[in-house]
Amino acid sequence: MQPPQPSQRQIEVKLSRDLGFFDITMIGVAGMIGAGVFALTGIAAGVAGPALVLVFLLNGIIATITAAAYAELGSAMPGAGGGYVWIKETLPSSFGFLAGWIDWFAHSVACSLYAVTFGAFMAEILVGSIMLPREVLAKLSTFAAVTLLTYVNYRGVKETGRVGGFVTILKVLILVVFIGFGVYKTLSNPEWMTHFTTPSFAPFGMVGILAAMGLTYIAFEGYEIIVQSGEEVKNPEKNIPRAIFASLWIAVSIYILIAFSVLGGIEVDVPSWQYLGGLAELGLIRVSNQIMPFGNFILLVAGLVSTISAMNATIYSSSRVSFALARDGFVSEKLAIINDHTKTPHYAIFFTYVIISFMALTLPIEAVAAATDIMFILLFIMVNFVLIILRLKAPTLKRTFRVPLVPYIPIAAILFQLIIAFFLITEVKHGFLALFAAVGWIVFGVVVYLGYSKEKEKDKLEEEFKTVFEEKVIEGKPYKILVSIANPVVAKKLLSFAKVLAKARNGEIILLSVIRLPEQTPLSAGRKYVTKQKQLLDELINLEVSSIPIGGMLKIAHSVPEAILNTIEEEKIDLLILGWRGRTFRRDYILGSTIDPILFKAPCDVAVIRFDPALEVNKIKKILIPTAGGPHARLAAEIALDFKEILGSEPTFAYFAGSTEEKERAKKYIEQTAKVFFEEKNKEEKEESEETKEPKPKESEEKRRVKAEEEKKEFNEMIKVSRDKIGSLIREADKFDAIFLGASDQPFLKNLIRGAFPEIIARRTTKTVVMVRKKIEISELLKLRFWR
């Protein structure tokens, strides 16, 4: 029930959409072509050998698969937040916490990698002029840079979009010039091929290739930044997918050509890959003079500018992730406090600074890079998993880009990323140290979640949903039906519908009324609406003398769907019944802003009903059940069986085919769905046999034939062939009292609960329409959808 709203208007805060395709492509390129290519090229060459060019190509392909998941989800849900938000909204809260926790550490350690690279480059400049060991100069430079940029972020002075775009274009141009010189020098050497075959193309075999892929995988994660900016993008449905793939393959092309240039363009006494590996993070810098004039100085400047830019961006992003975790109640609220003077989350920035500094000053660069890779791989695996889940549970979501062959493509991405993570840990120097750091952070996160976040979550739920009235059912029944009520007229029909099912299933009914208030209005303000709603509950509970136990509950909440979902969890509901007005005013919803999230998230069976205003529930005698098989159609059949048992209703199973070739398949679907009737009858006979303890006599062929004929009389069946399937269904529906619809993946009902089909039926017929969705575990969904 929505009471009269307070006079104050609720203002929706949104970011301005200022970023075009070029802008966000440059954001993605900036995130990828950074410290990784400057610092990791030499180290990776020592691990993979000349196969480094293949490493970058294979990493680009694997990254493209996960990038496709980001493209689909980013175009479907183009809000700020990216992977963390998708996981938090799709999976249980513990996964949401874990995603945010991993995201915080991933961006923080990425910043540590950029800081260590900055320190190494700065030490290269200062060594000789300052009488300190190179290692000390590198650590001091690292600490100074992190401290200075943290202060910049605290003051709220961050790099502007124009400066960021200029820096990106500058470093890309420098690298393109470097590539031009390198490719020319390589190809002008008649024996250039020997640089890629001495002693062999892959001296350490596939193990070396996979280990180098794991080490350099961080250089391909910049597309995540694009989706984090989704709320600021013009035409996000088209521009986000295009920018993700464009930025990724710009970076991949540059990486491959840089590897080709440095491996083939330098002349040294040992194999070029071995020489580069010995120089480690300074490999690209120290050989650059052999590639182009003033190469050492130019690449040092480009590397320093690039790492400063990357550090500034990752300090900002990682502190904002911790701020979001605090705002969502997962970590201490102090991290969400905004400084009155600087208007920045200073506690979040400080704790992020501690993590970045600790990792940068205590771990070698290989361990920092490997720890970053591990955390991002974990995040990417969860995003691929979310893609699969959303395809199953939210097929109505508008997707301008769709990943093909789901779930096979995202499953392949998950497996490939696990493989390169394994070889990263086992084959790369300091890989186990990186694993220890990553696992330590996750274990710390589990302790935080169990000791703080989980309790805070309970407190938050209590704040979000206040139960102001509750009349418990004295006699508990094994089957629980929750009926959400708002409109008094519809509420009586919903209760009548629930009574039929409760009587057939030996169940009880709980009536729930939710008073919704705007977000900025405290829940205590809703108490003035309680009396009216309590009267409605009392009237419904005492409507007529009934043997069915009926209880009532009244809640005040900011979100009706969340209040209903919370009640389902608390009361362990088996079936939720909702009313529907039969039309939707917003294009981004199928059945409405209340029903859509419930259909997606409710951990129970759901029935959504649009009633015929001229027909009472107890007058429903003729029921049409369109079916194309599947668990949802079975639930529709089960409810029809309840109506047959209690009201003597007559069910008709129907399949609307597009051609005569579909008739055989139609019979199979009808038989599958109608099995509900036979199974129930056989169950009753078995129970009677067990009670009398008499063995069931063996049936003769004649008796089985007679029984089969009797079973067919339990229901009617109909197969209609028409090119206009919906029109054919509507015409037949007018001959019945009600239509019971169950969602299905088969062609006929493919868009039943997934598209505008329910609304079309409700608009074109006045008959009662019942739409059902059965609770199915994820493993069962995968089996039904993809492996049946």
Side-chain angles (χ1 to χ4, degrees):
M1 176 69 182
Q2 296 187 19
Q5 301 298 309
S7 58
Q8 58 194 56
R9 297 178 63 187
Q10 188 173 0
I11 299 172
E12 186 177 7
V13 179
K14 288 189 176 182
L15 299 175
S16 174
R17 295 193 183 275
D18 298 325
L19 303 177
F21 169 70
F22 178 79
D23 300 315
I24 55 172
T25 301
M26 286 299 100
I27 287 173
V29 170
M32 282 181 264
I33 302 177
V37 67
F38 291 100
L40 299 179
T41 299
I43 300 171
V47 175
L52 178 61
V53 289
L54 180 61
V55 164
F56 284 137
L57 176 62
L58 293 176
N59 258 350
I61 293 170
I62 293 174
T64 299
I65 300 174
T66 293
Y70 272 82
E72 176 172 323
L73 296 172
S75 67
M77 296 182 284
Y84 166 55
V85 173
W86 303 333
I87 295 165
K88 179 169 69 75
E89 293 298 321
T90 305
L91 300 176
S93 61
S94 54
F95 285 90
F97 166 81
L98 184 62
W101 190 255
I102 287 174
D103 207 13
W104 183 13
F105 193 66
H107 283 90
S108 299
V109 184
C111 186
S112 300
L113 174 63
Y114 305 145
V116 170
T117 305
F118 175 87
F121 290 176
M122 186 57 72
E124 184 76 356
I125 294 173
L126 297 176
V127 70
S129 57
I130 298 178
M131 302 308 294
L132 286 173
R134 178 185 296 275
E135 292 76 13
V136 175
L137 284 173
K139 293 295 183 186
L140 287 174
S141 300
T142 297
F143 180 72
V146 173
T147 303
L148 176 62
L149 289 172
T150 300
Y151 179 73
V152 168
N153 270 269
Y154 163 71
R155 295 294 301 174
V157 183
K158 66 184 180 76
E159 183 180 270
T160 66
R162 285 186 179 178
V163 174
F166 174 76
V167 168
T168 300
I169 293 170
L170 177 64
K171 65 185 176 185
V172 169
L173 286 175
I174 289 172
L175 291 175
V176 168
V177 172
F178 178 85
I179 288 167
F181 277 100
V183 171
Y184 174 77
K185 187 170 183 182
T186 299
L187 297 180
S188 59
N189 180 1
E191 299 181 353
W192 68 271
M193 286 288 291
T194 59
H195 287 266
F196 296 90
T197 56
T198 305
S200 67
F201 180 67
F204 302 108
M206 201 64 198
V207 170
I209 291 173
L210 290 168
M213 286 173 67
L215 183 66
T216 58
Y217 199 61
I218 184 181
F220 299 84
E221 59 83 22
Y223 54 80
E224 195 209 12
I225 302 171
I226 293 174
V227 296
Q228 288 181 345
S229 308
E231 202 170 317
E232 301 170 72
V233 178
K234 299 173 185 175
N235 195 7
E237 294 82 4
K238 290 185 179 179
N239 283 333
I240 287 177
R242 289 166 56 203
I244 285 175
F245 294 120
S247 61
L248 177 59
W249 281 96
I250 287 171
V252 171
S253 302
I254 289 174
Y255 293 157
I256 292 172
L257 290 170
I258 285 176
F260 180 80
S261 299
V262 294
L263 288 168
I266 63 173
E267 297 294 336
V268 287
D269 297 331
V270 296
S272 56
W273 64 266
Q274 197 172 348
Y275 184 74
L276 286 164
L279 295 175
E281 67 268 24
L282 294 171
L284 186 64
I285 301 296
R286 289 191 177 174
V287 302
S288 55
N289 275 340
Q290 290 193 47
I291 303 292
M292 62 185 281
F294 307 105
N296 185 282
F297 172 76
I298 292 172
L299 285 194
L300 265 177
V301 171
L304 288 170
V305 171
S306 198
T307 50
I308 289 172
S309 172
M311 273 191 288
N312 189 54
T314 46
I315 289 172
Y316 178 84
S317 63
S318 52
S319 64
R320 271 29 176 206
V321 173
S322 61
F323 170 78
L325 282 168
R327 185 188 56 198
D328 292 340
F330 286 129
V331 296
S332 173
E333 292 176 354
K334 283 193 173 182
L335 296 184
I337 294 175
I338 303 295
N339 186 277
D340 292 335
H341 180 63
T342 63
K343 302 294 186 281
T344 55
H346 53 294
Y347 286 114
I349 292 171
F350 173 75
F351 279 101
T352 299
Y353 165 68
V354 171
I355 297 168
I356 293 168
S357 301
F358 178 79
M359 296 293 288
L361 298 175
T362 59
L363 296 183
I365 190 169
E366 296 92 344
V368 176
T372 310
D373 284 316
I374 290 168
M375 301 311 280
F376 274 113
I377 284 172
L378 288 174
L379 185 65
F380 293 158
I381 285 172
M382 284 194 281
V383 168
N384 277 288
F385 188 61
V386 164
L387 174 67
I388 297 171
I389 301 304
L390 283 176
R391 278 289 189 93
L392 293 166
K393 297 184 73 176
T396 59
L397 212 56
K398 182 183 176 184
R399 295 169 170 88
T400 55
F401 174 84
R402 294 178 71 88
V403 179
L405 299 174
V406 174
Y408 307 110
I409 294 292
I411 287 174
I414 291 170
L415 292 176
F416 285 139
Q417 287 171 145
L418 287 173
I419 290 168
I420 63 175
F422 172 78
F423 284 97
L424 168 68
I425 293 164
T426 57
E427 300 298 331
V428 172
K429 185 180 179 182
H430 303 303
F432 282 103
L433 179 59
L435 177 65
F436 177 78
V439 170
W441 178 256
I442 291 172
V443 170
F444 179 39
V446 171
V447 172
V448 170
Y449 181 76
L450 295 177
Y452 177 85
S453 309
K454 205 169 182 180
E455 291 301 316
K456 197 71 178 174
E457 198 173 15
K458 289 180 182 176
D459 295 341
K460 190 178 179 182
L461 281 176
E462 289 177 6
E463 291 174 8
E464 288 296 317
F465 318 116
K466 281 189 180 294
T467 303
V468 292
F469 168 74
E470 185 173 6
E471 185 169 322
K472 284 278 188 182
V473 174
I474 298 173
E475 181 188 356
K477 294 286 185 178
Y479 191 86
K480 287 188 174 183
I481 301 172
L482 180 67
V483 181
S484 177
I485 61 171
N487 184 294
V489 176
V490 176
K492 291 177 182 177
K493 289 193 172 184
L494 289 172
L495 179 57
S496 298
F497 193 94
K499 283 181 177 179
V500 173
L501 306 189
K503 192 171 182 180
R505 303 181 183 210
N506 188 28
E508 66 181 58
I509 299 170
I510 299 174
L511 301 174
L512 173 66
S513 177
V514 181
I515 299 171
R516 187 186 69 82
L517 298 179
E519 287 291 336
Q520 72 271 28
T521 305
L523 296 183
S524 56
R527 292 190 175 274
K528 60 183 176 181
Y529 307 111
V530 167
T531 303
K532 184 179 177 182
Q533 286 301 104
K534 186 175 177 297
Q535 286 174 353
L536 175 59
L537 281 175
D538 289 334
E539 181 186 341
L540 290 170
I541 292 171
N542 302 307
L543 191 61
E544 61 184 54
V545 178
S546 172
S547 60
I548 301 166
I550 303 174
M553 189 178 294
L554 178 58
K555 290 192 172 187
I556 304 173
H558 291 132
S559 166
V560 174
E562 290 301 324
I564 293 172
L565 291 168
N566 176 250
T567 307
I568 292 170
E569 293 279 1
E570 284 180 350
E571 301 296 327
K572 296 180 174 54
I573 298 300
D574 298 291
L575 172 67
L576 169 67
I577 297 178
L578 298 164
W580 181 48
R581 62 192 171 200
R583 62 191 186 282
T584 302
F585 295 109
R586 288 181 58 175
R587 292 178 62 190
D588 49 343
Y589 290 106
I590 300 302
L591 300 180
S593 58
T594 297
I595 297 175
D596 279 16
I598 292 170
L599 281 173
F600 173 53
K601 293 181 177 181
C604 66
D605 297 342
V606 181
V608 181
I609 309 170
R610 200 294 309 271
F611 286 107
D612 177 351
L615 187 71
E616 295 300 323
V617 171
N618 60 6
K619 299 296 183 182
I620 295 176
K621 298 300 181 184
K622 296 182 69 178
I623 301 172
L624 178 64
I625 310 167
T627 180
H632 308 297
R634 283 179 60 87
L635 177 58
E638 288 170 8
I639 294 175
L641 179 60
D642 293 338
F643 269 76
K644 184 177 186 300
E645 179 186 339
I646 304 303
L647 300 180
S649 303
E650 182 183 328
T652 297
F653 292 95
Y655 185 92
F656 295 84
S659 64
T660 53
E661 288 78 13
E662 290 185 49
K663 280 194 173 183
E664 285 303 315
R665 185 167 55 187
K667 289 179 181 177
K668 184 184 73 172
Y669 292 143
I670 288 174
E671 286 174 5
Q672 286 177 353
T673 309
K675 275 183 182 177
V676 170
F677 285 65
F678 312 147
E679 288 168 359
E680 189 65 29
K681 196 168 184 178
N682 292 336
K683 182 181 174 184
E684 290 173 2
E685 289 177 1
K686 186 179 178 182
E687 287 174 353
E688 287 176 9
S689 178
E690 287 175 354
E691 285 175 7
T692 57
K693 296 184 180 179
E694 291 181 6
K696 189 176 180 181
K698 190 174 181 180
E699 293 180 339
S700 64
E701 186 67 30
E702 177 63 20
K703 191 171 183 180
R704 280 198 297 270
R705 187 186 65 78
V706 172
K707 185 177 179 181
E709 290 296 326
E710 288 177 352
E711 285 176 343
K712 285 186 178 179
K713 294 177 184 177
E714 294 286 331
F715 61 89
N716 301 316
E717 63 179 67
M718 175 197 303
I719 300 174
K720 294 286 183 180
V721 179
S722 173
R723 289 185 180 180
D724 181 13
K725 296 179 182 180
I726 295 179
S728 179
L729 190 155
I730 296 296
R731 286 190 294 273
E732 292 300 324
D734 286 338
K735 303 172 186 177
F736 291 81
D737 299 318
I739 305 100
F740 287 10
L741 300 167
S744 171
D745 293 325
Q746 297 302 327
F748 160 54
L749 293 178
K750 193 170 184 180
N751 295 315
L752 184 57
I753 296 296
R754 306 184 170 193
F757 193 42
E759 189 171 354
I760 292 171
I761 294 176
R763 191 170 63 243
R764 293 173 62 179
T765 179
T766 59
K767 304 298 181 179
T768 294
V769 179
V770 181
M771 295 157 286
V772 299
R773 189 229 66 186
K774 187 169 181 62
K775 175 196 174 185
I776 310 177
E777 299 300 331
I778 294 304
S779 58
E780 193 178 347
L781 269 170
L782 289 170
K783 182 180 176 183
L784 286 165
R785 174 64 180 87
F786 300 107
W787 284 282
R788 62 181 167 197

